Structure formats: C-alpha cells, structure tokens
C-alpha cells in the first residue's frame, strides 16, 4: 500500500524527534512554536545539499542525513550559538522506506548528540535535495562574527584540513579511499562545543566549508585586514601528509567540506582556549598571523612565498606571487 506523506512524516520524522521543554508546538501543525528565553538571541542558519553537487550520488542515506544537519550546526558553531531546533525540507524522487529510515537515523543520531529538536519541515517529490534550517541561542550580544580580527592577532584552525577534499577527489577518480578520510567527507563533526567556548571572546570566526583560502578571505574581508599563512603548519590527519602526497596542500588550501573553525585570537587568550581544546580532545593549530595589509600571503617556514595553484576559488582575491604582486 502506498504511504501517504503524513504517514511518512509520522513514521520517520515525528517519532524520532528529540523532546525539548522549549518546543511549545512541534511537527504536526501548520507551523512550530518555540519559547525563546528573554536573555538570548536567536541565531538562524540554512544550508542545502543537492545530490551530485554537494555529495556523490552513491552516498549512503545515513551520511546524507548526518551531513545535512552537520553543515548547519557548523554554521551555528561559528556564531558561538547553542543549537536548539531544526526544520527540514526534503525532496525525494520516490518513497524509498529503506532510504528514509537510513536518512532519519543519520539525522537524528547527530541531532541527539546536541539535543536538537526537529520541529517541522516540508516533504516534496523531485530530484534528491535536502535543506535544513537550524536555530540556535546565544547570550545577548555574544554572537561571534567574521569581523573583528586585528593586525597582530594569531590565526588558528581546529582539527585538520584537506581530508574530505582528498576523499572526494579519489572517489571521483574511482580510487579506493581510506575509511578515516571517507568519514571526514561523509560525517563531519561540527565544532559546536569549541564554538561555545569562543562565544564572548571577541574572536573573529568562520567555519571552513569552501576551502581555507576562500573562507579565510571572507573573514579578512569582513575584518578589513589581511594575513600571512604558514602553509607548512596546516594540520592534516595522520598519514603521508602534504610532503608525501601531491595535491594534498591544494586540498588543504582550496578543497572544501572541512567544517573546521578558523579564528583569530589575542596572544593573551590563547592559553585558555588551548586548555579548553585539550579538554575536548580537539587539536587547534596556529597557522598564521593577522596583518594590516589586505590579501593572504602564503609562506613556507623559511619565508618563501608560495602561490597556490589554480584560481578556482571565486572569493579569494589578492593571492600574491613571488614578486609580491597579485597573481
Ligand atoms: P502544510 O501543508 O501546512 O505546509 P505539511 O503537510 O507540509 O503542512 O506538513 C505537516 C506537518 O509536518 C507540519 O508540521 C510540517 O512542519 C511537518 N513536516 C512536513 N515535512 C516534514 C519533514 N520532512 N520533517 C519534519 N517535519 C515535517
Ligand atoms: Mg498548513
């Protein structure tokens, strides 16, 4: 018997949704109603994943569910917000119950980890596409921004860079991919707890989704300054590393799907945040320094300038070459 849209929502999305006291009215009415505390601001982000564009068509349903929420939680992390609620707009080509079960399991596994309640959504038929909107809460005035980095501040990154992009390249080339790398591509871990620790610190923060150069470029534009990036210090997961693996450095600089936080700190703040990162068992690495001169200067440890290959990063301006001129 064909399942109706309402059965489907009940079976896969209402049943598993986390309970929160601040959800006055969740899935099932014309809209959801939530109680926002008076001393908090509401932080909202939305991201869409389209099959074939944001994930390979063969990606497991579980991973699509996980990632659709993860990429959104990463945006809340970059704002220093505590996740609370989500809505889900799901377009599927057909009602495939195994697929829906897998998708919902992935989505709710991550939602449960951060007590995110799914409060509503929309379900339509068409080419596979998933849009999630997340709502988080931050103490009044404490949201983190891309703006505010100042010359002299140190530049940090959480976790490692480049693995997801390397995994995607290998998949596209039909090569096998190490499970650790595949995990970084398919199940990114949003840095929510670290974002909460940064909240109120005044750090300039962005999450790295489109590649370090592009996204760092956004942070620097918003802060009206520039940076030197020490490319030999870019962290990567245990393995051969950029020196042994041609293309890894490009993946670190220009790849995407890292979902790490890049942030600037005053020297005096580094100790506290390093301690917190250790408690979370999340490595943070100092990768550069903020400078008044706009643009990003990529340098080796010995000071030599490095010109990133390719120009496939729209938002990245003013890459300088060895002559110190825009490339
Ligand atoms: P309407 O026609 O009023 O927009 P829908 O029939 O689209 O209502 O949805 C009925 C209820 O189910 C609403 O509360 C809506 O938020 C919820 N809903 C629909 N699709 C989803 C989904 N994919 N995930 C979670 N909730 C959903
Ligand atoms: Mg309605």
């Amino acid at each position: 018997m064909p399942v109706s849209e309402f059965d489907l929502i009940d079976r896969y999305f209402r049943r598993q949704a986390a309970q929160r006291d601040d959800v006055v009215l969740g899935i099932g009415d014309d809209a959801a109603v939530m109680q926002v505390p008076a001393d908090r601001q509401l932080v909202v982000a939305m991201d869409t994943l389209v099959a074939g564009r944001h994930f390979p068509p063969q990606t497991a349903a579980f991973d699509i569910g996980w990632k659709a929420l993860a990429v959104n939680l990463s945006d809340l992390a970059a704002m220093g917000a505590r996740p609370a609620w989500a809505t889900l707009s799901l377009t599927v080509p057909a009602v495939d119950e195994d697929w829906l079960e897998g998708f919902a399991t992935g989505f709710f596994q991550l939602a449960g980890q951060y007590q995110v309640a799914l409060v509503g959504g929309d379900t339509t038929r068409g080419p596979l596409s998933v849009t999630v909107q997340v709502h988080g809460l931050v103490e009044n005035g404490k949201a983190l921004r891309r703006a505010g980095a100042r010359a002299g501040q140190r530049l940090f990154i959480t976790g490692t860079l480049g693995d997801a992009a390397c995994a995607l390249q290998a998949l596209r080339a039909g090569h096998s991919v190490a499970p650790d790398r595949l995990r970084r591509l398919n199940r990114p871990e949003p840095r929510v707890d670290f974002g909460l620790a940064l909240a109120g610190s005044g750090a300039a923060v962005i999450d790295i989704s489109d590649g370090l150069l592009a996204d760092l470029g956004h942070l620097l534009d918003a802060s009206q300054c520039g940076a030197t990036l020490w490319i030999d210090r870019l962290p990567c997961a245990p393995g051969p590393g950029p020196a042994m693996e041609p293309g890894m450095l490009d993946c670190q600089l220009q790849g995407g799907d890292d979902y790490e936080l890049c942030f600037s700190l005053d020297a005096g703040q580094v100790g506290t945040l390093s301690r917190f990162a250790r408690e979370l068992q999340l490595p943070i690495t100092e990768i550069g320094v903020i400078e008044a001169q706009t643009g990003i200067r990529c340098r080796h440890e010995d000071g030599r300038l490095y010109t990133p290959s390719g120009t496939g990063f729209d938002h990245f301006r003013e890459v300088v070459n060895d002559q110190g001129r825009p490339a």
Side-chain angles (χ1 to χ4, degrees):
M1 208 175 73
V3 213
S4 78
E5 181 189 328
F6 301 104
D7 290 342
L8 189 152
I9 293 163
D10 266 357
R11 198 174 303 170
Y12 296 105
F13 298 114
R14 194 210 291 259
R15 202 189 56 197
Q16 300 189 51
Q19 305 297 312
R20 288 178 61 105
D21 292 344
D22 51 15
V23 178
V24 181
L25 201 54
I27 293 174
D29 216 299
D30 290 310
V33 181
M34 285 85 76
Q35 192 67 49
V36 182
D39 58 348
R40 295 285 191 280
Q41 287 172 321
L42 184 61
V43 182
V44 179
M46 177 193 269
D47 255 318
T48 297
L49 301 186
V50 175
R53 187 168 180 86
H54 297 97
F55 55 87
Q58 72 270 26
T59 306
F62 181 103
D63 293 338
I64 298 169
W66 173 285
K67 189 166 179 175
L69 181 58
V71 302
N72 277 281
L73 294 183
S74 179
D75 282 322
L76 289 189
M79 302 302 290
R82 185 179 296 283
W85 312 298
T87 53
L88 164 68
S89 177
L90 183 61
T91 303
V92 286
V95 176
D96 173 341
E97 298 208 45
D98 288 341
W99 191 92
L100 285 166
E101 179 69 40
F103 176 89
T105 306
F107 184 95
F108 286 113
Q109 188 160 312
L110 183 60
Q113 209 167 304
Y114 293 105
Q115 289 84 51
V116 174
L118 181 68
V119 295
D122 197 20
T123 308
T124 53
R125 196 177 287 248
L128 179 59
S129 158
V130 187
T131 299
V132 173
Q133 184 172 54
V134 285
H135 312 78
L137 298 169
V138 70
E139 270 179 59
N140 289 340
K142 295 224 171 143
L144 298 164
R145 296 172 172 227
R146 297 173 176 189
R150 291 182 309 274
Q153 283 188 319
R154 301 172 181 196
L155 191 63
F156 288 84
I157 188 98
T158 60
T160 60
L161 292 171
D163 288 302
C166 271
L168 186 60
Q169 271 184 6
L171 282 181
R172 287 197 172 137
H175 299 149
S176 65
V177 186
D180 282 358
R181 279 202 176 153
L182 208 51
R183 198 177 172 82
R184 291 280 292 156
L185 176 66
N186 288 332
R187 301 206 195 153
E189 305 268 353
R191 305 308 187 189
V192 172
D193 294 320
F194 194 76
L196 289 170
L198 281 172
S201 70
V205 188
I206 190 165
D207 79 313
I208 305 298
S209 53
D210 297 331
L212 177 63
L213 291 178
D215 288 324
L216 172 59
H218 295 318
L219 182 150
L220 296 171
D221 281 352
S223 298
Q224 294 178 291
C225 51
T228 283
L229 204 56
W230 300 102
I231 56 167
D232 301 320
R233 297 187 199 173
L234 298 180
C236 58
M244 303 294 295
E245 203 175 355
M248 183 51 162
L249 181 59
D250 285 345
C251 285
Q252 292 188 293
L253 288 170
Q254 292 148 239
D257 274 344
D258 294 303
Y259 302 104
E260 298 291 353
L261 298 182
C262 181
F263 54 98
S264 71
L265 287 180
D266 289 330
Q269 297 173 303
V270 174
T272 314
L273 282 149
S274 299
R275 271 193 300 283
F276 190 78
R278 269 197 298 280
E279 279 169 33
L280 290 176
Q281 297 185 302
L282 173 67
I284 61 173
T285 308
E286 187 171 347
I287 56 170
V289 60
I290 303 291
E291 293 163 342
Q293 186 192 352
T294 57
I296 300 174
R297 291 152 290 283
C298 294
R299 289 186 189 279
H300 287 286
E301 216 57 44
D302 61 9
R304 263 179 311 131
L305 270 166
Y306 171 82
T307 307
S309 69
T311 50
F313 28 92
D314 284 355
H315 316 285
F316 177 53
R317 292 190 288 278
E318 295 184 69
V319 182
V320 289
N321 60 22
D322 284 331
Q323 284 77 49
R325 287 194 292 270

